[in-house]
Amino acid sequence: MKKLFALLFAGCLALSAIAQEAPDAMVKRVSEEVLETIRKDKEIQGGNTQKVIALANSKVLPYFDFSRMTALAVGKDWRRADADQKKRLADEFRNLLVRTYANALSSYSNQKIVFKPFRMNPGDSEVLVRTEVIQPGAKPVQIDYNLELQDGAWKVFDVVVAGISLVTNYREQFAQEVRAGGIDGLIASIAAKNKSLDAGQGKSSAK
């Protein structure tokens, strides 16, 4: 499952902010560009997760609504957080997503993305782009991208893999953390997870 999340994450990297381009065409174009880069980059294929993290940080951050993604992941407890806590939560959750799937990206191996028919009504500000990942020797997996039009630019706020939401998949875990230690406890827990992932990825890149 992590490899599939990594694939969809790669497909979202560097999404263009050109609103005139249809959302499905935009996702398709960028998916092909990014996956082609991965195919040609021997360092990424060799497990250089720090390079993948750098790629994600340089291209993905401006085009994802991490505030809304974090709110979806935290759920009803989001309302309990003040402005500073919300910012710290969004920052740490962003880092968690980038670091969790950076290593898995290096294991990409010739999956094919098929785009399903796209439907959009005039004036729609939220759309769903549906795709299917064809994997050698495995069943196809449905991946759906949720995008919102914000200030003339389409931004991803959730991705659903085989019926499982990328962001709400964390909701129960985060709720437990809030019950145990409040909002600050959740922030500390995610920060600790990020440090652990950094340490592990650093060792992997050093090999």
Side-chain angles (χ1 to χ4, degrees):
M1 182 61 72
K2 285 187 177 180
K3 290 183 179 180
L4 293 173
F5 277 138
L7 181 63
L8 66 90
F9 201 65
C12 292
L13 291 176
L15 287 175
S16 169
I18 303 174
Q20 289 78 5
E21 185 177 18
D24 60 328
M26 180 178 64
V27 173
K28 182 176 182 179
R29 174 179 58 79
V30 176
S31 297
E32 292 172 350
E33 290 175 358
V34 173
L35 294 179
E36 182 64 21
T37 298
I38 295 172
R39 292 187 191 103
K40 293 180 178 179
D41 195 312
K42 299 302 182 183
E43 291 187 26
I44 291 178
Q45 295 174 19
N48 189 331
T49 54
Q50 292 304 315
K51 188 169 184 179
V52 182
I53 289 174
L55 175 65
N57 279 323
S58 65
K59 294 186 176 181
V60 68
L61 300 189
Y63 310 113
F64 274 69
D65 185 351
F66 282 104
S67 179
R68 183 170 181 184
M69 293 175 77
T70 309
L72 287 171
V74 177
K76 59 183 178 59
D77 291 316
W78 180 252
R79 297 191 298 269
R80 298 174 52 184
D82 60 30
D84 178 66
Q85 289 173 322
K86 287 179 178 178
K87 182 181 184 304
R88 287 188 289 146
L89 274 172
D91 288 344
E92 293 296 347
F93 188 54
R94 173 201 63 196
N95 292 336
L96 177 62
L97 292 179
V98 172
R99 283 155 175 77
T100 297
Y101 305 116
N103 188 52
L105 279 175
S106 64
S107 65
Y108 169 81
S109 58
N110 298 319
Q111 287 90 342
K112 180 181 179 182
I113 300 177
V114 176
F115 284 78
K116 299 296 189 66
F118 175 68
R119 296 178 178 81
M120 178 178 174
N121 297 317
D124 281 352
S125 60
E126 290 190 5
V127 298
L128 179 68
V129 176
R130 300 183 304 126
T131 73
E132 190 173 68
V133 175
I134 308 300
Q135 307 175 92
K139 293 182 178 180
V141 177
Q142 179 81 21
I143 297 180
D144 298 333
Y145 297 80
N146 290 281
L147 299 95
E148 180 181 18
L149 186 61
Q150 300 179 9
D151 299 323
W154 289 102
K155 291 195 175 184
V156 174
F157 64 88
D158 195 14
V159 190
V160 180
V161 179
I164 301 174
S165 163
L166 173 64
V167 292
T168 59
N169 187 48
Y170 287 93
R171 185 170 291 167
E172 181 56 33
Q173 174 188 338
F174 286 0
Q176 292 176 1
E177 296 287 350
V178 172
R179 287 194 294 269
I183 296 297
D184 286 332
L186 173 59
I187 296 171
S189 176
I190 301 174
K193 179 65 174 177
N194 286 334
K195 288 182 180 179
S196 176
L197 289 171
D198 281 343
Q201 289 166 354
K203 292 177 181 178
S204 175
S205 297
K207 292 181 181 180

